[in-house]
Amino acid sequence: MTTGERGGPLSGWRHQGTLRRYQQDVLDRVPVVPGDPVHVVAPPGSGKTLLGLLLAGRHGARALALAPTATIRSQWAASAAALGTDDRGPAVTVSEDPEHPGDLTALTYQMLSVLETGKPLTELARADWQRELVEGGRDEDGASAWLVELEAANRTAYRKGIARRSRAVRRRLAREDPALLETALHPNARALVDRLVAHGVETIVLDECHHLLDHWALVVAYLAGRIRQSGREPLLIGLTATLPSTEDRDAHDNYTALLGDVDHEVPTPAVVKEGNLAPYRDHVWFVEPTDEERTFLRDHQDRLAALVSTTFDDPDGVDWLVHTLQPPVDDQDGDRDRPSGTASEARLARAFDADFAVAESAARMLAEVRPEHPVLALVHPGARTAPDAEQRLRILARYALDRVLPDPGRAEQWHRIKRSIVDFGFTLTDRGVRRGRDPVDTVLASSAAKDTAVGEILRLELEQESADHLRAVVVTDHATHGNARGTGARSGGALRTFATVAADPTLAGLHPVLVTAKHLRIAARDADVLLPALRRHLDADLTVAPVEGAPDVLAVDTAGAGSAAVIAAVSVLLTDATTRLVVGTRGLLGEGWDCPAANTLIDLTAVATSSATQQLRGRTLRLDPAWPRKVAHNWTITTVLPADVPLLAAPDVSRMHRKHEQIWGLLREDDTQVVRGTGTALSDRHALRLAALVAKDRRQTVRALDDDLAAILPPREQTHAAWRIGEPYADRESTAAVLHEPDAAPFTTGPTAAAVMAAVLALVLAVVGQSLRVLVELWRAGAVPGVVGTAAVVVAAIVVAWPVARQLGTALRQRIDTAGGHRGAVRAVVDGLHRAGRIPAYGEGDIRVTPHKVGRVTLSFTLEAVGGSVEDRRTVTHALAELFGPVRTPRFLLETGRASPARLRRAPLLALALWIARGLTRGGRSLAVPTGIGRRREDAEAFAADWERSVGPCRLHEIDSPGSLVLLLRARRDSGATRTPPSLRDQWS
């Protein structure tokens, strides 16, 4: 295959062989245009190096490939040298020498980005600050001296000033101002850039480009700017297995300024389907905190409860809660003239409209300290449940700011609350409250129970038929993280985990090894097996010593061998099964560590970013020549607070969900589907049980959930077959909304209304029966009276009875076929979004509603629209999640069970039936009109009309005045939302 599309040194490159399908897709779909960066995401092992070279060949010009390590740099050079050329020119020169560039030059980022100082942005920011001072009237020496004095006298103010200006510097550098960064580069780096530009480099290939954060991104921008200054337009090609985290906004901005949006993403399932990565499955395992940790958490809860109760369980605290929920009357709204109940609703509605989160927290707190307070009767049920820990702290902080701080006489109370709140992970200042390190999260993330769970998981794996192939890796964040809260003196981390594993006699056959940047440890019982093997591969004099506090563990001194040599030796031992279990840290066993024999990951880390999660999972996916039908298992261990610990907090469960949001895998409910999210590890039934555990349902236990998960653990061979490797695939991504614990009644015609309509129709039929006698007499009187009378009866029946009969037919169909009601709702949403110009038109066959049942009970519905772009489908599912989710602050509400005034005028009998039904039941329910439909009134009205035709009677309300806020308050109280908020599920096929 010839890659070049224009003349140039690389235009004659040819690839000998057949490209993988996803590689060809990238080359077919992604244009190569100078000045327009190419941004490709593909998993480890998918052939990104070849892709980058072929894309560079299409441009044809001389290219620079930048890699994060010397090993990867050499791989680029070798791959480039393997590409042939046609008869249009001589062979392409490939160089790794920064002094002598070739047609393709492979270097590390570090070679290019050597800086004059270790803090280039700080120096540039200080220079900016000094320049501002000079412009303000100081001379250069005076400005410099003032900065020196400020740094010494008020370090905090100095750091803030530098940080603020550093952000501005980053923004300027991201706009590719070469002159600005040039002052920070080392002369050798500037000389290298000069050589590359003079050599004619136009294409810059950035391997593992998620590393392009902070100054690496800035230096690449500088090089691109220099190429542009020379009169040529650079082409940047970014290749990565995972996008960087958005947590550091400045660094992420630098990255996106260089490479823009992703042009093409090769999903991991495509690489697995083509046989270039091992098939895999994700699993989860749950633990409860240890007894020591529970004691700490209960004490934490008791101290929090005491702190909050002393504040709010007294007249002033209650008065503030009520005042928050019932803000002062605004005469302009006419509240004084309203009945007292309506006025209270209006004030409560204004409170929720002003700050929903604070009002909800205040309502929950009031329900706890004064459950019989009359204002609570106006609040939706969700805001009458107990507040969680974060809500307690935030409402306490708001109270302190609103009531305590303004009162000089309460200064001691202010300082007491401020000191106390620090212990719970918050910092309170006169500007508000901000999140700090949450001690509950720290304890749960590093629970010692997770160490014991490692053994439980490994024993499960050893019971499988594939046990002989087991090669497991346990990864923690650090060797020791220093936190000992709730665990006595045992700090969490790899060292503690390994001590637990080494003391477990059931794992003796695995010969575990611990390796970190500074530690190499083995179980004492394995010295005769592991020490000779380590000596062979490390070529060093090893000495061992017992580990204090861990009698089952020996520390191995490697006589100066570096961590790279140690990890290489351990990798060999894992490959040949001398050891079958390695415990280590994310820094060492995460990105960059490749051991194809590894097939089981047990993730104990507390990071949930896309980059860290994808890189960790990638360690087990390499093909293993020794096991052609290799299947990887990736486990996440999560700590859940038991029901007997009243603290409402689930940070580790939230972390588990965030991790799985980044991961494609087989849907646990249905092996034929590939999805992204927790559904890869938990069935709908297990997900509901987990939610019940988090909600303190004492009927559920962690042990019962784990036992159930263990009982249905699929064999690896089953997983291999389920991936259907080698079969065709569409490489199409879609998205769906999943409704958990659905109930059709809140948004379709309820059973009471249907019964009333049936009774009304029966009455009409009785009247028609009686009218037949009159018609007979009219026909006897003559044809004309008979025809007129018959026509009058028929017209009356159609006009009066037909709307009721039609609506009754719709209601009965929805009761028999619940999926039909949901299909009608999806149809109305899709048509509404199309009418609003948000998505293309979808046909009836493009709408899918799939019920998931256990026996006769429907646990969930999956709602999706097929066709259009991924973003189109995502627009639909987000709208469905809004529609069926909790009512928050929509512009329009859809009240079901109550027809519009225009329809009622046309159908008086239907109006009568619905009026009677509302009197017999709690009335209608309300749904939020999705934002994408409710931006214009005409679109919302058309949506309501569609709903009336296909789903059931409804009335549209616009929230556009203080009075309508009462409707919004009632809508939250009588929401038609599902009991569990809808979830969004990405799917691949």
Side-chain angles (χ1 to χ4, degrees):
M1 169 186 171
T2 300
T3 64
E5 295 182 342
R6 66 172 213 172
L10 306 186
S11 60
W13 254 345
R14 292 185 302 172
H15 171 58
Q16 305 291 339
T18 304
L19 291 173
R20 302 167 187 175
R21 173 177 169 179
Y22 53 82
Q23 290 174 324
Q24 189 62 57
D25 282 347
V26 173
L27 295 173
D28 291 343
R29 298 180 186 182
V30 178
V32 175
V33 180
D36 188 7
V38 175
H39 194 183
V40 176
V41 178
S46 58
K48 293 190 296 294
T49 301
L50 178 59
L51 263 180
L53 292 170
L54 295 180
L55 288 167
R58 283 192 168 184
H59 186 209
R62 287 194 171 98
L64 168 69
L66 292 172
T69 68
T71 300
I72 299 175
R73 176 200 69 199
S74 297
Q75 291 171 359
W76 274 88
S79 297
L83 286 175
T85 55
D86 56 23
D87 55 7
R88 287 185 289 175
V92 173
T93 60
V94 178
S95 172
E96 295 182 68
D97 184 354
E99 298 292 332
H100 302 93
D103 296 323
L104 184 285
T105 305
L107 302 175
T108 62
Y109 289 105
Q110 293 90 334
M111 289 181 180
L112 190 69
S113 57
V114 179
L115 298 167
E116 186 72 66
T117 172
K119 298 180 179 179
L121 296 179
T122 299
E123 296 300 325
L124 292 170
R126 185 182 176 112
D128 275 1
W129 199 348
Q130 184 167 328
R131 185 165 52 253
E132 292 169 9
L133 293 171
V134 170
E135 290 173 356
R138 301 174 188 262
D139 59 25
E140 290 284 351
D141 292 340
S144 178
W146 185 86
L147 287 171
V148 170
E149 291 172 5
L150 178 65
E151 184 177 7
N154 191 338
R155 183 69 180 170
T156 300
Y158 178 80
R159 282 201 304 265
K160 288 181 179 179
I162 289 293
R164 186 169 62 253
R165 288 165 178 83
S166 291
R167 288 192 291 270
V169 169
R170 282 190 176 98
R171 286 192 293 270
R172 295 208 303 276
L173 292 173
R175 289 196 297 269
E176 302 178 18
D177 180 356
L180 189 59
L181 183 61
E182 190 170 6
T183 60
L185 278 180
H186 191 278
N188 291 344
R190 292 199 295 269
L192 175 55
V193 169
D194 291 341
R195 274 196 302 277
L196 293 170
V197 173
H199 190 63
V201 168
E202 289 184 21
T203 302
I204 308 172
V205 185
L206 306 165
D207 191 22
E208 302 297 349
C209 59
H210 60 276
H211 287 291
L212 287 172
L213 305 174
D214 211 4
H215 72 266
W216 278 9
L218 305 178
V219 173
V220 171
Y222 167 65
L223 173 59
R226 286 292 314 279
I227 293 173
R228 199 169 287 115
Q229 281 185 341
S230 71
R232 291 168 284 135
E233 193 63 44
L235 170 68
L236 271 63
I237 301 173
L239 306 169
T240 184
T242 177
L243 294 174
S245 170
T246 58
E247 291 180 3
D248 185 340
R249 184 177 300 174
D250 291 328
H252 191 267
D253 287 348
N254 292 341
Y255 177 87
T256 53
L258 274 176
L259 295 173
D261 295 330
V262 174
D263 294 298
H264 190 87
E265 181 171 1
V266 178
T268 301
V271 189
V272 174
K273 294 279 285 183
E274 293 204 25
N276 300 119
L277 286 178
Y280 59 93
R281 194 184 287 273
D282 276 274
H283 302 284
V284 290
W285 197 253
F286 299 99
V287 298
E288 293 181 348
T290 65
D291 290 341
E292 286 180 301
E293 292 162 355
R294 289 192 201 197
T295 300
F296 169 82
L297 292 167
R298 286 195 187 97
D299 177 65
H300 184 88
Q301 166 68 15
D302 291 344
R303 289 190 300 117
L304 175 59
L307 175 63
V308 174
S309 64
T310 56
T311 303
F312 292 115
D313 197 10
D314 75 353
D316 184 69
V318 171
D319 178 73
W320 181 83
L321 292 173
V322 174
H323 182 272
T324 301
L325 295 170
Q326 296 282 280
V329 172
D330 186 345
D331 291 336
Q332 293 179 350
D333 293 339
D335 283 351
R336 295 187 186 278
D337 300 326
R338 295 179 180 173
S340 59
T342 304
S344 296
E345 278 190 311
R347 289 195 291 271
L348 185 63
R350 271 201 304 276
F352 273 90
D353 184 59
D355 194 325
F356 186 93
V358 168
E360 185 173 51
S361 299
R364 292 188 176 195
M365 196 69 248
L366 183 63
E368 183 168 286
V369 298
R370 296 293 186 273
E372 303 303 322
H373 197 284
V375 76
L376 293 173
L378 307 175
V379 178
H380 62 96
R384 295 199 293 269
T385 58
D388 61 28
E390 185 159 332
Q391 287 173 321
R392 291 175 188 274
L393 289 165
R394 289 196 179 279
I395 201 70
L396 176 65
R398 180 62 72 91
Y399 168 78
L401 287 168
D402 288 357
R403 277 280 171 96
V404 181
L405 182 61
D407 185 350
R410 301 175 73 174
E412 190 278 331
Q413 184 184 10
W414 164 260
H415 289 295
R416 176 166 53 82
I417 293 175
K418 185 176 179 179
R419 287 193 304 270
S420 300
I421 208 170
V422 171
D423 292 337
F424 301 98
F426 287 84
T427 301
L428 179 63
T429 71
D430 57 5
R431 296 187 302 276
V433 63
R434 61 181 177 85
R435 201 79 162 93
R437 189 174 184 182
D438 181 2
V440 173
D441 188 11
T442 302
V443 169
L444 297 181
S446 59
S447 171
K450 292 187 176 184
D451 301 340
T452 304
V454 169
E456 295 173 343
I457 291 170
L458 291 171
R459 284 189 287 276
L460 274 178
E461 293 286 1
L462 288 170
E463 292 171 2
Q464 288 216 328
E465 292 182 3
S466 57
D468 290 344
H469 293 288
L470 179 66
R471 306 287 189 277
V473 181
V474 180
V475 183
T476 67
D477 286 305
H478 308 288
T480 176
H481 57 55
N483 174 64
R485 280 173 164 161
T487 59
R490 299 176 63 204
S491 297
L495 303 186
R496 190 189 68 185
T497 301
F498 184 76
T500 303
V501 169
D504 190 337
T506 66
L507 305 178
L510 299 180
H511 306 305
V513 174
L514 167 87
V515 58
T516 75
K518 296 181 179 179
H519 305 88
L520 177 62
R521 293 184 178 180
I522 62 174
R525 62 182 174 240
D526 294 329
D528 293 342
V529 175
L530 293 176
L531 288 176
L534 286 168
R535 287 190 179 101
R536 285 197 305 273
H537 296 292
L538 277 174
D539 190 24
D541 293 327
L542 304 182
T543 58
V544 297
V547 175
E548 184 180 355
D552 302 290
V553 179
L554 293 177
V556 181
D557 187 340
T558 59
S563 61
V566 173
I567 191 61
V570 171
S571 299
V572 173
L573 299 190
L574 187 66
T575 300
D576 65 20
T578 304
T579 177
R580 298 169 63 198
L581 172 61
V582 175
V583 179
T585 58
R586 178 166 51 91
L588 203 60
L589 300 179
E591 180 181 357
W593 179 61
D594 288 322
C595 181
N599 54 48
T600 301
L601 168 72
I602 301 179
D603 181 5
L604 300 185
T605 67
V607 292
T609 62
S610 172
S611 177
T613 301
Q614 297 280 13
Q615 290 293 344
L616 265 184
R617 267 50 180 186
R619 299 315 97 203
T620 60
L621 302 188
R622 297 281 187 180
L623 297 178
D624 182 2
W627 188 15
R629 293 182 68 81
K630 170 182 173 177
V631 172
H633 277 182
N634 296 319
W635 292 84
T636 300
I637 302 180
T638 300
T639 311
V640 183
L641 280 172
D644 62 357
V645 177
L647 191 66
L648 281 173
D652 216 32
V653 175
S654 297
R655 183 181 296 108
M656 179 204 70
H657 286 297
R658 294 198 304 276
K659 286 185 177 185
H660 285 82
E661 286 171 1
Q662 324 294 336
I663 304 167
W664 290 108
L666 298 175
L667 179 64
R668 187 55 62 98
E669 204 79 56
D670 179 2
D671 272 353
T672 64
Q673 295 187 54
V674 176
V675 303
R676 188 159 48 193
T678 317
T680 61
L682 289 172
S683 67
D684 290 342
R685 180 167 55 91
H686 291 132
L688 291 175
R689 289 177 63 179
L690 175 61
L693 269 170
V694 171
K696 305 298 184 182
D697 184 344
R698 292 181 179 270
R699 295 169 297 177
Q700 303 292 338
T701 66
V702 166
R703 175 47 58 192
L705 179 57
D706 281 342
D707 288 345
D708 203 5
L709 291 170
I712 62 170
L713 180 67
R716 297 200 192 215
E717 189 58 38
Q718 177 184 323
T719 298
H720 195 286
W723 275 98
R724 302 191 301 279
I725 296 169
E727 293 186 14
Y729 61 90
D731 194 14
R732 180 173 57 244
E733 184 179 337
S734 61
T735 182
V738 182
L739 305 186
H740 307 279
E741 301 180 283
D743 180 3
F747 74 92
T748 59
T749 303
T752 302
V756 172
M757 286 187 286
V760 169
L761 276 179
L763 179 63
V764 170
L765 290 176
V767 172
V768 170
Q770 292 297 319
S771 67
L772 291 177
R773 297 178 182 179
V774 178
L775 288 178
V776 170
E777 296 299 325
L778 288 174
W779 277 103
R780 286 175 178 171
V784 173
V787 169
V788 172
T790 299
V793 170
V794 170
V795 169
I798 292 175
V799 171
V800 177
W802 171 245
V804 181
R806 181 175 178 275
Q807 186 56 56
L808 178 61
T810 299
L812 293 176
R813 285 195 302 274
Q814 290 170 351
R815 301 307 298 176
I816 296 170
D817 177 19
T818 310
H822 287 81
R823 175 178 287 276
V826 177
R827 176 80 266 172
V829 168
V830 166
D831 289 346
L833 290 171
H834 173 61
R835 190 181 297 110
R838 306 278 294 170
I839 61 171
Y842 284 85
E844 195 62 35
D846 297 328
I847 295 174
R848 293 182 183 173
V849 176
T850 308
H852 301 280
K853 298 184 177 182
V854 173
R856 295 184 177 181
V857 179
T858 300
L859 293 181
S860 65
F861 281 105
T862 300
L863 315 179
E864 57 184 314
V866 181
S869 68
V870 174
E871 287 307 313
D872 293 333
R873 297 190 289 274
R874 191 161 282 125
T875 298
V876 173
T877 51
H878 277 282
L880 290 169
E882 278 189 84
L883 178 70
F884 292 112
V887 175
R888 299 290 300 226
T889 55
R891 180 184 171 189
F892 290 96
L893 284 170
L894 200 68
E895 184 183 5
T896 64
R898 186 177 182 184
S900 63
R903 188 177 186 192
L904 294 180
R905 287 192 294 271
R906 297 193 303 269
L909 279 184
L910 178 61
L912 175 64
L914 294 176
W915 179 78
I916 295 172
R918 282 201 309 277
L920 296 175
T921 63
R922 61 182 295 178
R925 299 290 187 91
S926 294
L927 299 165
V929 175
T931 304
I933 297 173
R935 290 178 176 171
R936 297 188 307 169
R937 166 171 274 281
E938 51 266 39
D939 291 333
E941 290 173 342
F943 171 69
D946 287 345
W947 188 278
E948 279 201 315
R949 284 191 296 271
S950 60
V951 182
C954 66
R955 177 171 291 188
L956 186 71
H957 300 283
E958 184 173 7
I959 310 303
D960 60 349
S961 67
S964 64
L965 291 176
V966 175
L967 290 174
L968 185 58
L969 180 72
R970 293 171 179 170
R972 295 183 185 125
R973 196 167 59 225
D974 299 319
S975 172
T978 54
R979 287 189 289 268
T980 302
S983 58
L984 301 182
R985 176 185 290 162
D986 290 334
Q987 303 174 145
W988 180 89
S989 59

